[in-house]
């Protein structure tokens, strides 16, 4: 099947690379952001929460399995998420034109920079991105060991992940969070991309996937858990997580990971 494609770097596009770069220099109030992902939490949560936090002009689009199977959902790499950024400036030559971004890590980092979530200088930015990358790949390590394996191996993979991989992750991050003063943030004393991403990973593992088993692990690490407590009290994020829309995404995620990825039956 040939899937529908979004314009990314085509040389015959109506926008040159320089014009696209100029759009990205516009103020947040002069842009709109359309974020497309599955109707799940998972890898889409961090970008959604940054768009909410940044008070951006945004819309969340959701792909159905039927729509995906038809090949009509436009993407860059036959994968989600994608972010479409539209120029809203009436006087701009590119008014109404769009720039497209792909790949979760690229989109997350781009939004973090726009909304002041990448620190105050280059070193802080690099440190935040390092923590973010390590958090992001915890999800990948989880998928490799517990989801994309034969059903009869999933319980063993889960137990090894929770007892070894997750423990080592928590120990590493606890060390660095203590070094930053155990203040609920990874770098300095400001909310960052790494903080939000960790909170979403914790929320996913403890709400969607493994419940109390994951919760018991995370709560052993006081500095790490303080990040979760800090992020969930950010007014915009707290309000978003109380919406029916967000709760619906969590419920659909539980169904998806239970039905399609067969969470081990002995989950409490």
């Amino acid at each position: 099947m040939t899937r529908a494609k979004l314009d990314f770097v085509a040389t015959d596009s109506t926008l040159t690379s320089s014009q696209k770069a100029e759009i990205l220099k516009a103020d947040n109030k002069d842009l709109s952001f359309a974020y497309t992902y599955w109707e799940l939490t998972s890898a889409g949560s961090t970008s959604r929460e940054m768009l909410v936090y940044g008070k951006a002009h945004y819309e969340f689009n959701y792909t159905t399995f039927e729509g995906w199977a038809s090949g009509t959902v436009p993407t860059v790499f036959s994968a989600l998420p994608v972010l479409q950024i539209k120029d809203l400036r009436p006087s701009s030559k590119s008014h109404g034109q769009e720039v497209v971004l792909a790949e979760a890590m690229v989109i997350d980092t781009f939004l973090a920079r726009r909304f002041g979530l990448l620190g105050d200088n280059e070193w802080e930015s690099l440190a935040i991105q390092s923590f973010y990358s390590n958090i992001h790949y915890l999800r990948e390590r989880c998928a490799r060991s517990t989801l994309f394996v034969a059903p009869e191996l999933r319980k063993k993979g889960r137990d090894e992940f929770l007892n070894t991989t997750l423990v080592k992750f928590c120990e590493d991050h606890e060390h660095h969070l203590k070094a930053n003063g155990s203040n609920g943030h990874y770098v300095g004393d400001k909310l960052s991309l790494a903080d939000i991403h960790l909170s979403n990973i914790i929320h996913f593992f403890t709400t969607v996937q493994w419940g109390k088993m994951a919760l018991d692990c995370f709560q052993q690490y006081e500095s790490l858990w303080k990040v979760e407590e800090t992020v969930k009290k950010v007014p915009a994020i707290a309000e978003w997580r109380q919406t029916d829309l967000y709760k619906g995404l969590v419920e659909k995620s539980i169904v998806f990971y239970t039905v399609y990825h067969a969470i081990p039956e002995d989950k409490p």
Side-chain angles (χ1 to χ4, degrees):
M1 177 191 299
T2 301
R3 293 192 174 277
K5 290 288 189 293
L6 289 164
D7 170 44
F8 193 48
V9 294
T11 55
D12 61 351
S13 169
T14 55
L15 290 176
T16 66
S17 62
S18 296
Q19 289 171 323
K20 291 177 181 179
E22 285 301 315
I23 291 176
L24 297 181
K25 292 179 182 178
D27 291 339
N28 293 330
K29 64 181 176 57
D30 293 322
L31 300 174
S32 68
F33 303 87
Y35 185 78
T36 302
Y37 189 64
W38 302 97
E39 199 170 5
L40 305 168
T41 52
S42 194
S45 294
T46 297
S47 279
R48 289 183 185 129
E49 290 194 345
M50 286 191 290
L51 286 164
V52 169
Y53 171 82
K55 297 181 172 58
H57 302 290
Y58 67 84
E59 60 179 279
F60 297 148
N61 300 320
Y62 305 101
T63 299
T64 65
F65 293 108
E66 294 77 13
W68 185 258
S70 72
T72 58
V73 178
T75 64
V76 175
F77 299 120
S78 299
L80 295 173
V82 296
L83 180 68
Q84 293 164 272
I85 307 158
K86 183 180 290 186
D87 188 352
L88 301 180
R89 297 170 295 179
S91 59
S92 170
K93 293 181 179 179
S94 55
H95 173 70
Q97 299 284 345
E98 289 185 342
V99 175
V100 177
L101 295 182
E103 297 294 285
M105 295 183 74
V106 172
I107 294 170
D108 283 351
T109 305
F110 166 78
L111 292 175
R113 184 172 290 109
R114 291 205 70 94
F115 301 131
L117 296 167
L118 274 186
D120 294 332
N121 55 51
E122 185 176 8
W123 164 247
E124 290 189 358
S125 175
L126 291 171
I128 289 166
Q129 289 179 71
S130 296
F131 289 122
Y132 164 79
S133 177
N134 192 258
I135 296 165
H136 194 82
Y137 279 111
L138 181 68
R139 189 192 302 278
E140 301 302 316
R141 293 193 290 272
C142 169
R144 287 199 304 270
S145 60
T146 68
L147 301 181
F148 304 130
V149 297
E152 64 271 18
L153 298 177
R154 286 180 180 139
K155 181 181 182 300
K156 178 182 178 182
R158 178 204 65 191
D159 292 345
E160 290 180 350
F161 178 84
L162 289 173
N163 295 325
T164 303
T165 305
L166 186 59
V167 169
K168 180 59 178 172
F169 170 89
C170 290
E171 289 174 349
D172 287 343
H173 286 252
E174 183 77 358
H175 170 84
H176 295 295
L177 287 163
K178 283 183 176 179
N180 192 50
S182 300
N183 62 359
H185 301 291
Y186 272 98
V187 176
D189 58 0
K190 292 173 57 178
L191 185 68
S192 75
L193 168 63
D195 302 341
I196 296 173
H197 206 47
L198 177 71
S199 177
N200 275 295
I201 286 287
I202 291 175
H203 201 251
F204 180 82
F205 283 157
T206 60
T207 303
V208 173
Q209 199 155 11
W210 294 313
K212 189 174 184 300
M213 289 183 288
L215 184 65
D216 287 345
C217 181
F218 284 122
Q219 286 187 327
Q220 293 180 53
Y221 301 90
E222 294 182 5
S223 299
L224 185 148
W225 189 252
K226 188 169 182 179
V227 177
E228 160 65 359
E229 293 291 324
T230 301
V231 171
K232 73 179 185 181
K233 292 177 183 177
V234 174
I237 293 175
E239 184 177 349
W240 159 245
R241 292 186 184 180
Q242 289 302 311
T243 63
D244 290 340
L245 176 55
Y246 179 79
K247 292 177 181 178
L249 292 171
V250 173
E251 291 172 2
K252 288 180 173 64
S253 297
I254 293 171
V255 171
F256 176 83
Y257 279 87
T258 301
V259 173
Y260 292 93
H261 287 309
I263 291 173
E265 293 180 359
D266 67 338
K267 173 187 172 184

